[in-house]
Amino acid sequence: MPPNLRPDVVTLIFGGCVLLAGVVLQLSHRADWLREQIDFASDPRELRHFESRFRRRRQTSGLIALVGLLIPVVDLPVVWNLGPRAPTIMWCLIGCLCIWIAVLAMGDLATTRAHSRAAMARLEVHKIELLEQIERLRPKPESSSEPTTDHQ
């Protein structure tokens, strides 16, 4: 008797949606990275930040796609026929992958936030320097030679 390879329709649809989301995220991150390489080609600090962000997000979206692939596989009757230990281990693996995805997402959030704050601080310093330069270049008002009288 051949093994039953038909997964449940619900897990197949859900896993397919998660897989599709991972692939769409991969494509989106790739398009963002290509655009950022052009926009920030003259700023190596920004480019390094965006490159490491691209690697983190690429890993995260790849793991999301892997989870989407594993969900219907775990639900296959062939896996359940191996006994309860195999699907339990596989579901634990999927859970660990989801936890790792969450850790990567929090790390990405923290590094993006720190980078944004540092960039804003650099812009504020640059703004102050430009305002000081404007003040130095602004013509001084000439003092009038006529005495002012106070009428009280």
Side-chain angles (χ1 to χ4, degrees):
M1 178 171 169
N4 184 0
L5 295 177
R6 295 183 55 201
D8 183 46
V9 176
V10 175
T11 56
L12 187 61
I13 291 172
F14 181 74
C17 288
V18 173
L19 176 65
L20 181 65
V23 170
V24 167
L25 285 171
Q26 285 278 355
L27 296 173
S28 171
H29 297 322
R30 176 77 176 157
D32 289 345
W33 169 235
L34 292 175
R35 188 175 55 253
E36 288 159 352
Q37 282 179 315
I38 295 167
D39 292 346
F40 296 99
S42 63
D43 191 352
R45 181 186 315 167
E46 292 291 319
L47 205 54
R48 274 193 313 274
H49 165 71
F50 287 125
E51 182 181 13
S52 63
R53 186 180 79 174
F54 170 67
R55 282 195 315 266
R56 277 191 313 273
R57 290 183 177 182
R58 186 94 186 229
Q59 181 183 7
T60 303
S61 55
L63 288 173
I64 290 170
L66 179 63
V67 167
L69 184 67
L70 288 175
I71 288 173
V73 169
V74 172
D75 202 42
L76 286 173
V78 172
V79 175
W80 285 95
N81 289 341
L82 296 173
R85 188 173 293 161
T88 302
I89 290 171
M90 291 181 76
W91 278 115
C92 288
L93 174 67
I94 290 173
C96 289
L97 285 174
C98 290
I99 291 170
W100 183 242
I101 290 168
V103 168
L104 287 173
M106 288 186 291
D108 185 57
L109 180 68
T111 57
T112 300
R113 185 175 180 186
H115 173 76
S116 296
R117 284 185 176 178
M120 291 302 290
R122 285 192 305 273
L123 285 174
E124 188 65 29
V125 167
H126 188 64
K127 175 185 165 187
I128 291 170
E129 290 171 355
L130 289 175
L131 289 173
E132 288 172 353
Q133 189 175 11
I134 287 172
E135 285 300 317
R136 282 194 307 270
L137 295 175
R138 183 174 287 159
K140 304 279 190 251
E142 294 182 26
S143 59
S144 68
S145 58
E146 299 176 17
T148 59
T149 58
D150 284 339
H151 297 1
Q152 292 181 349

